[in-house]
Amino acid sequence: MKYIIESILFLLSITMSQNSIWAYQNTIPEHTDSLALDPSIRYGHLPNGLTYYIKDVKDVSKKVEMRLYVKVGSFYQGPEELEFAHTLEHLAFKCAKVFPFNLLNAPSDFLSGLGIRDKDIQAHTWFTSTWYNIKNIPSDSMKTIDIGLLWFSNLTNLNLTNKVINKERKVLEQETIYRMGNNLESYFLKTRLNSLLNPCDYDMSDFFGNNKNYSPESLIGFYKRWYRPDRMGIVIVGDIADVHAVEKQIKKHFLGVKAHQIAEQWSDCRLKYLDSPKRFVILNRDQNKIVGDKHVALSFYKRNRDIMLHRQGWKGLQSELVWNILNRIINYRFKRVSKSYKSSFSASYYPPRQFSPASEIRIETTEGQEQEAIGKVVQILKNLKNMGLTSEEWEQAKAEEMTSLEPVDTKSYYLEHIANHFLYEQALPANRTIRLQRWLSQLSVEEFNALCRKHIAGIPDDIGIIAPAGKSYTEADVHAWINQALEEEILPLPVPKVPAQLMSKKRLSSFRKVGYTDLGTIASGAREFMLDNGVRIVLDTTSSNKSKVSLHGFNTEGAACFREKDYFSAINAPGIVKNAGVGPMDKFALYRFLEKTGVWQGTGPYIDYGESGIRGKSAIEDLEYMLQLVYLYFTHPRKNMEAFEDWRQNEIERHLNPAYSIISEDFDILMGRFLGDHTKIPQGTKRLHGMTKTDMDTAYKIYRKLFGNASDFTFLLSGGFSINEALPLLQKYLGNLPNNSYKLSCSSKQNMTYALPKGPLYKEFHARKIDASYTMRSVRYSLCYLAKTEGQLDWKEQIKLMVLGEYMNSKIKELRTSHGAALYTMRAFTFFQKENYELRMSMDCIPEELGMLRKLCKEMIEEVKNGTFNQAQIEMVLNSGNLKIPQSTNYHYYRYKEPLVKMVDVEHYVRSLTPKDIREAAQKYLKDENLMEFVFRDNIISP
């Protein structure tokens, strides 16, 4: 691929005017900010308006990062231009005239010749900007910087045609569908609310119609208005050998770019917002058909013009720092007040920013509790405004902020603050962090409290509410609730008690001294011990993380040991227990205690289909606290009906506002259940429906049975601890775990093996059969090769299958880039499940393209089976360093009796592989009899 790079450079050389390069004088215009820009940054403007920043930062990575910022984002769009800025971000990878390929799928040898990978080229669209990014450039590679600048310069003159624009419409649709999943209506409702509150935001409800019907000419017109050199900034930061040479390259590429004769200025919607009338908006959601959704979301905004006025001087930097501290303090107090099982209230505070000149308070509550929730928020703010912080609180808050201020001379520091300098004209003086730390260290609690009184507002300027169907409020009602709360007496903020200890001295003194047997060192280098109560412990001190300890205790019995009707009680038991707490401490008291330790907040039990156990992490010095917590989860799980009801409500809300793709989860479960695999613990809709089948008493009975016998458990510990120091603690806490007389016997019931149907097979699942409210705008498709292995799969065979999966993942992108499919998300991978293997090609597509994609996926498989490889792609996979043997761990050794494999042997084997080996693996495993195709869609259409 060397010829491609050379061809591009040659083309560049004959199209660039040397006269324009040398005509430019090496003078940097005087900077006009109130504070001078850090002089260590090479900064300049070209005659056409382009701005550039170059900063040499030496660090261990020896890498350079380069970005192009364009001052255009979603705030620049009109109602008929929804997602135009985002669409141009997509097209920038496809329409660069000098590049003979789509940069989303650049040839592997082209990228390797530049010393980067495809994942190092990225782009993002924000509110006021779009930025293009090339990361991990080798510090000595001027060639890569040169090619990157060539691409950036191409963005000023993209080859936008009707054909390429029309193709990208469906890709944008698919991205929106994929990101929002089954939550599109909620997303559209929020955008409609925001658009009615702020002229910068637009209602996205008609996105699909607008995306389908806008004219290509309107998008091209948008592009020409904003993709201009005077709205662009180049930032290059990292280990730069020759700053002058990089500056010269920028001039070479951009001096020939013509400035626009008519430079259209942005009518700043932020200023329109600040000058507009105050707003009160209420919208109602459709009644949720799964559960009665009584959730109410309120947003209060207080406009702040100062955040934009003072951005160029010290006052602006100091103000931002104060806002950061207030943000932390207010959210901490909101969280503290919401820590109650009876609370249906949560609140979040967002300070004003350059892109959003208003502070915002979001309140989440339930119908009927709105006034109480508003009263809590007002009381917290009123308390802080009038009573301020104590000296102790201020010193703690100050120390936290001092720590969070990022040190100078890191790439991330300069990338963040140069962006703010270019996009928002925010001051970036030399030694910014040091000077702010000095100012903050001298700020007294009295001075900070005075700033609090100035910054914390009373009545909000704008109010937005999303309410259940049929629920109505008036502006007068909400203002009356706020005023009533303001008039109430200021009460001291209750300070919840922090438990002094996890376990009492009396209980600790009752522990007996437990002996052990040293069973020696295993192949991984870990030491194995058997405690006298039957607990096996395996201590691995070879971990690279010397400051942490990771713990994993497990047994080989799980939810499969119990009746089918109790399945959800079993898998939900750990969540119910964690929500209740341990011993006399509810989860809130436990959280307050752990907050002052280095014990990972996620430490706790789990129950899977064929296994149960506990996982945790802690700092080395807090290992004893983690072991105490493990002991309490085994022996004293707290049981409380109020906590159970709170857990149930939290699970319902987690489904209504998911942080994961419900559609993906549902599809995985449907495929697994069809094949007879019940081992995957369901999330998504099936989990939600399981709420009604979960009984608290049954859950606790199951939990006690699974965690009742210490001798069933093996505990794996890894980290930088000393065995001599850790072993006595393990004897003390794990050695005193009890063994009950009850013994589970369910090995046959939880056998994970199951018969597979014979392929080729095609199976459709339909969303409406899951739930009447389920809607899908696209189709999920998975092509799978799934089969049993002949005995335990050899690790070398696993490696070959993993290489095959990685290679197919690099190939699958061609469906979008070479075949023009309207795909946003597509991937291929291989995974193993005991005696099964699977290679899967998975995507989210439009219904009209399903037939084409099925055919293309099968053709790709046939190419590999026939030995038709892209040599550069296969070499990239083999040299990636990502090929591990997940089964080759202490866990798999003890859990499944799988042999340990040394990484050096794995690396040697990977280096020995050839395309012929991968072709033979494809022929062996990718047989028609193993082929299964699965489709998840709204309605029934014959294949």
Side-chain angles (χ1 to χ4, degrees):
M1 187 53 67
K2 180 181 177 183
Y3 75 92
I4 291 185
I5 301 175
E6 293 175 345
S7 298
I8 291 173
L9 291 174
F10 174 74
L11 179 60
L12 169 68
S13 67
I14 64 174
T15 56
M16 185 64 66
S17 168
Q18 292 297 323
N19 291 333
S20 65
I21 297 173
W22 296 112
Y24 179 71
Q25 300 299 312
N26 291 320
T27 57
I28 298 176
E30 183 180 351
H31 194 55
T32 57
D33 279 14
S34 301
L35 288 176
L37 178 68
D38 183 342
S40 72
I41 300 170
R42 183 69 63 89
Y43 170 78
H45 291 294
L46 300 185
N48 56 18
L50 180 100
T51 304
Y52 63 85
Y53 305 76
I54 309 167
K55 173 60 184 174
D56 177 29
V57 179
K58 304 298 184 188
D59 63 17
V60 295
S61 73
K62 296 189 181 298
K63 299 289 186 180
V64 175
E65 184 164 345
M66 58 192 299
R67 295 182 181 179
L68 172 71
Y69 290 98
V70 186
K71 289 181 180 178
V72 60
S74 61
F75 284 0
Y76 286 70
Q77 299 167 167
E80 71 289 347
E81 297 173 327
L82 299 180
E83 291 289 84
F84 271 23
H86 187 186
T87 302
L88 290 174
E89 174 220 307
H90 279 223
L91 294 174
F93 290 91
K94 300 181 176 184
C95 301
K97 291 182 178 179
V98 176
F99 290 82
F101 44 74
N102 186 333
L103 280 174
L104 285 170
N105 193 34
S108 301
D109 47 351
F110 172 77
L111 294 176
S112 62
L114 298 176
I116 59 175
R117 302 183 64 187
D118 55 354
K119 65 181 180 181
D120 293 325
I121 305 176
Q122 300 172 338
H124 298 278
T125 305
W126 304 107
F127 300 113
T128 59
S129 62
T130 304
W131 60 272
Y132 301 89
N133 185 21
I134 304 176
K135 302 190 297 182
N136 296 317
I137 300 169
S139 59
D140 59 352
S141 181
M142 279 298 296
K143 178 176 68 175
T144 307
I145 292 175
D146 199 44
I147 293 294
L149 290 170
L150 174 60
W151 178 43
F152 288 171
S153 68
N154 267 224
L155 300 190
T156 64
N157 189 24
L158 293 174
N159 185 28
L160 299 176
T161 65
N162 289 8
K163 182 178 179 180
V164 74
I165 290 171
N166 290 332
K167 272 191 174 183
E168 204 63 23
R169 296 178 196 266
K170 287 294 183 180
V171 177
L172 267 291
E173 283 189 16
Q174 288 300 104
E175 180 174 355
T176 302
I177 291 167
Y178 178 77
R179 290 187 182 278
M180 296 303 115
N182 204 34
N183 209 29
L184 266 174
E185 298 309 316
S186 175
Y187 166 68
F188 288 150
L189 189 65
K190 289 177 182 177
T191 65
R192 184 181 172 204
L193 180 76
N194 293 340
S195 72
L196 294 170
L197 291 168
N198 189 328
C200 288
D201 292 304
Y202 287 99
D203 181 0
M204 291 289 290
S205 301
D206 192 37
F207 164 69
F208 292 107
N210 186 80
N211 185 64
K212 180 180 180 180
N213 296 315
Y214 75 81
S215 68
E217 291 74 21
S218 62
L219 179 68
I220 294 171
F222 183 88
Y223 166 73
K224 289 180 177 179
R225 287 202 305 277
W226 304 119
Y227 270 66
R228 314 187 315 244
D230 61 301
R231 303 195 61 81
M232 293 180 171
I234 292 174
V235 180
I236 303 179
V237 176
D239 191 352
I240 300 172
D242 189 339
V243 170
H244 179 71
V246 171
E247 183 180 32
K248 189 175 180 180
Q249 290 295 319
I250 292 173
K251 296 171 185 176
K252 180 182 77 170
H253 286 285
F254 279 90
L255 276 172
V257 176
K258 295 181 180 179
H260 284 217
Q261 292 181 346
I262 301 175
E264 182 171 344
Q265 297 301 311
W266 179 41
S267 179
D268 196 334
C269 61
R270 297 170 297 175
L271 299 177
K272 290 181 183 177
Y273 168 63
L274 290 170
D275 294 332
S276 65
K278 298 178 181 180
R279 294 174 168 91
F280 177 88
V281 180
I282 175 171
L283 297 178
N284 296 95
R285 68 174 61 86
D286 290 335
Q287 185 64 42
N288 192 289
K289 298 176 183 177
I290 301 176
V291 292
D293 187 0
K294 301 296 183 182
H295 176 252
V296 180
L298 305 100
S299 293
F300 294 168
Y301 298 87
K302 189 66 179 179
R303 304 177 190 184
N304 185 295
R305 191 178 297 271
D306 288 350
I307 197 73
M308 297 177 65
L309 291 178
H310 303 299
R311 61 188 182 274
Q312 296 180 347
W314 272 110
K315 187 174 181 180
L317 296 178
Q318 292 165 350
S319 178
E320 183 181 58
L321 189 148
V322 170
W323 281 117
N324 289 340
I325 297 173
L326 273 175
N327 180 38
R328 186 181 293 114
I329 290 169
I330 292 172
N331 278 309
Y332 178 75
R333 294 192 175 191
F334 282 167
K335 187 180 291 186
R336 222 162 70 181
V337 170
S338 67
K339 297 292 184 184
S340 166
Y341 291 123
K342 296 179 181 179
S343 175
S344 60
F345 154 85
S346 67
S348 301
Y349 176 77
Y350 302 87
R353 295 299 187 203
Q354 296 290 345
F355 59 84
S356 180
S359 58
E360 179 187 4
I361 295 173
R362 297 178 191 170
I363 303 172
E364 309 283 337
T365 188
T366 55
E367 186 177 347
Q369 304 296 316
E370 302 91 341
Q371 183 175 359
E372 180 183 348
I374 290 171
K376 289 179 181 178
V377 166
V378 172
Q379 185 65 232
I380 290 168
L381 296 177
K382 197 166 58 164
N383 178 285
L384 183 58
K385 183 171 184 174
N386 290 276
M387 302 182 73
L389 300 181
T390 65
S391 296
E392 293 78 13
E393 287 176 318
W394 170 236
E395 290 304 320
Q396 180 179 345
K398 187 159 58 172
E400 290 175 355
E401 185 63 23
M402 294 277 274
T403 303
S404 71
L405 285 168
E406 189 171 8
V408 181
D409 284 338
T410 63
K411 285 205 297 285
S412 57
Y413 168 87
Y414 281 105
L415 287 167
E416 176 186 353
H417 296 298
I418 288 175
N420 289 335
H421 185 272
F422 174 68
L423 297 172
Y424 306 117
E425 299 178 322
Q426 189 177 71
L428 179 51
N431 300 317
R432 175 186 182 278
T433 295
I434 296 171
R435 294 169 72 177
L436 282 173
Q437 287 176 329
R438 186 182 302 128
W439 175 77
L440 181 58
S441 67
Q442 297 169 356
L443 192 66
S444 69
V445 65
E446 292 80 14
E447 290 170 322
F448 180 77
N449 287 337
L451 291 171
C452 282
R453 287 190 287 275
K454 178 183 176 183
H455 282 63
I456 296 175
I459 300 293
D461 293 318
D462 307 293
I463 299 173
I465 304 174
I466 294 179
K471 182 66 178 177
S472 181
Y473 309 87
T474 67
E475 186 173 2
D477 288 338
V478 178
H479 277 266
W481 294 341
I482 296 171
N483 286 320
Q484 182 177 333
L486 286 170
E487 292 168 3
E488 291 176 356
E489 179 186 357
I490 301 174
L491 301 173
L493 191 68
V495 180
K497 183 178 179 181
V498 179
Q501 55 195 14
L502 275 178
M503 299 177 67
S504 67
K505 292 181 179 179
K506 181 178 179 181
R507 177 172 292 172
L508 291 173
S509 65
S510 69
F511 284 172
R512 61 188 178 86
K513 186 175 182 179
V514 176
Y516 65 86
T517 302
D518 187 342
L519 300 177
T521 302
I522 63 173
S524 68
R527 288 268 299 279
E528 180 181 354
F529 300 85
M530 182 69 75
L531 302 181
D532 287 352
N533 64 341
V535 170
R536 185 190 305 271
I537 56 176
V538 181
L539 308 183
D540 183 357
T541 59
T542 64
S543 169
S544 59
N545 192 339
K546 301 302 180 183
S547 63
K548 300 286 184 183
V549 181
S550 295
L551 172 146
H552 182 191
F554 64 89
N555 74 19
T556 58
E557 295 163 340
C561 293
F562 303 93
R563 297 178 301 179
E564 185 176 346
K565 72 173 187 176
D566 295 331
Y567 174 77
F568 284 101
S569 296
I571 64 171
N572 287 323
I576 294 167
V577 168
K578 284 192 283 188
N579 202 60
V582 292
M585 287 180 288
D586 62 23
K587 73 169 181 179
F588 305 112
L590 180 59
Y591 175 87
R592 291 193 294 272
F593 178 85
L594 294 178
E595 197 174 29
K596 65 180 185 180
T597 74
V599 179
W600 183 45
Q601 295 287 346
T603 297
Y606 67 90
I607 297 175
D608 289 337
Y609 183 80
E611 180 179 304
S612 53
I614 192 164
R615 295 186 180 94
K617 293 180 183 177
S618 79
I620 291 284
E621 60 271 20
D622 290 322
L623 172 60
E624 183 163 12
Y625 284 137
M626 180 166 67
L627 292 174
Q628 287 181 356
L629 184 58
V630 169
Y631 178 86
L632 291 171
Y633 271 129
F634 269 75
T635 60
H636 293 82
R638 186 171 176 268
K639 185 178 180 182
N640 180 274
M641 178 56 76
E642 191 175 61
F644 175 73
E645 293 299 335
D646 178 78
W647 166 84
R648 191 197 298 272
Q649 185 58 39
N650 290 339
E651 285 293 303
I652 292 172
E653 290 178 3
R654 190 168 74 96
H655 181 84
L656 293 173
N657 300 283
Y660 60 94
S661 171
I662 288 179
I663 292 174
S664 294
E665 286 289 336
D666 288 348
F667 192 21
D668 277 351
I669 292 299
L670 287 166
M671 286 189 288
R673 296 300 164 94
F674 172 79
L675 295 169
D677 178 10
H678 295 266
T679 59
K680 180 176 172 61
I681 298 300
Q683 301 295 327
T685 306
K686 193 169 185 66
R687 183 96 173 207
L688 179 70
H689 291 170
M691 294 299 103
T692 59
K693 301 175 183 178
T694 303
D695 176 75
M696 184 180 73
D697 290 334
T698 303
Y700 274 88
K701 287 176 183 177
I702 290 171
Y703 184 89
R704 291 190 181 99
K705 288 177 180 179
L706 289 172
F707 290 87
N709 287 294
S711 59
D712 294 338
F713 281 83
T714 297
F715 282 86
L716 310 174
L717 273 84
S718 64
F721 57 86
S722 161
I723 290 180
N724 290 336
E725 293 177 3
L727 192 54
L729 296 175
L730 296 165
Q731 291 174 261
K732 182 176 183 179
Y733 295 105
L734 302 186
N736 278 282
L737 293 176
N739 282 302
N740 298 332
S741 58
Y742 183 87
K743 287 287 185 181
L744 285 170
S745 179
C746 53
S747 57
S748 61
K749 287 180 64 178
Q750 61 180 21
N751 187 341
M752 295 185 191
T753 63
Y754 48 91
L756 292 172
K758 186 175 180 180
L761 176 150
Y762 179 94
K763 174 65 179 176
E764 284 197 357
F765 306 103
H766 303 107
R768 297 306 174 95
K769 291 185 178 180
I770 297 178
D771 195 285
S773 67
Y774 217 122
T775 56
M776 288 182 65
R777 289 179 175 264
S778 61
V779 173
R780 293 291 171 102
Y781 170 65
S782 282
L783 178 146
C784 308
Y785 285 88
L786 177 63
K788 298 287 185 181
T789 60
E790 298 173 1
Q792 187 169 306
L793 192 64
D794 178 78
W795 69 268
K796 293 182 179 181
E797 292 294 289
Q798 291 185 41
I799 285 287
K800 287 192 283 190
L801 281 166
M802 289 172 68
V803 171
L804 184 57
E806 288 288 318
Y807 177 74
M808 295 310 300
N809 193 46
S810 68
K811 286 285 291 179
I812 200 170
K813 297 174 186 175
E814 295 174 7
L815 295 174
R816 174 178 171 182
T817 57
S818 300
H819 298 283
L823 294 173
Y824 176 71
T825 176
M826 55 278 180
R827 63 189 183 117
F829 53 92
T830 316
F831 66 90
F832 312 93
Q833 187 177 14
K834 289 303 292 166
E835 298 175 1
N836 301 337
Y837 73 86
E838 179 175 352
L839 182 136
R840 183 182 300 181
M841 301 173 72
S842 185
M843 63 203 66
D844 190 88
C845 66
I846 60 175
E848 306 94 284
E849 292 186 347
L850 176 60
M852 175 189 74
L853 292 168
R854 291 179 61 206
K855 180 175 180 289
L856 289 172
C857 286
K858 292 172 186 176
E859 287 176 356
M860 286 183 175
I861 294 292
E862 289 304 313
E863 286 177 5
V864 174
K865 290 165 68 174
N866 292 331
T868 307
F869 285 98
N870 180 310
Q871 189 66 34
Q873 283 180 316
I874 198 74
E875 287 178 2
M876 182 186 70
V877 170
L878 293 173
N879 296 324
S880 67
N882 295 328
L883 299 169
K884 311 295 183 186
I885 300 292
Q887 287 77 2
S888 184
T889 63
N890 290 330
Y891 168 73
H892 287 87
Y893 176 73
Y894 284 97
R895 177 68 174 88
Y896 301 116
K897 305 295 187 292
E898 294 179 355
L900 292 161
V901 183
K902 294 179 181 178
M903 268 314 299
V904 65
D905 294 333
V906 173
E907 292 167 0
H908 178 75
Y909 181 69
V910 169
R911 286 195 297 271
S912 74
L913 288 173
T914 66
K916 180 181 177 183
D917 297 318
I918 308 308
R919 183 195 67 197
E920 290 174 352
Q923 291 172 343
K924 180 178 179 181
Y925 295 105
L926 307 186
K927 299 177 180 178
D928 285 349
E929 63 195 59
N930 301 334
L931 172 61
M932 301 173 196
E933 296 177 85
F934 298 101
V935 172
F936 189 27
R937 67 194 321 163
D938 246 0
N939 51 334
I940 301 173
I941 299 177
S942 299

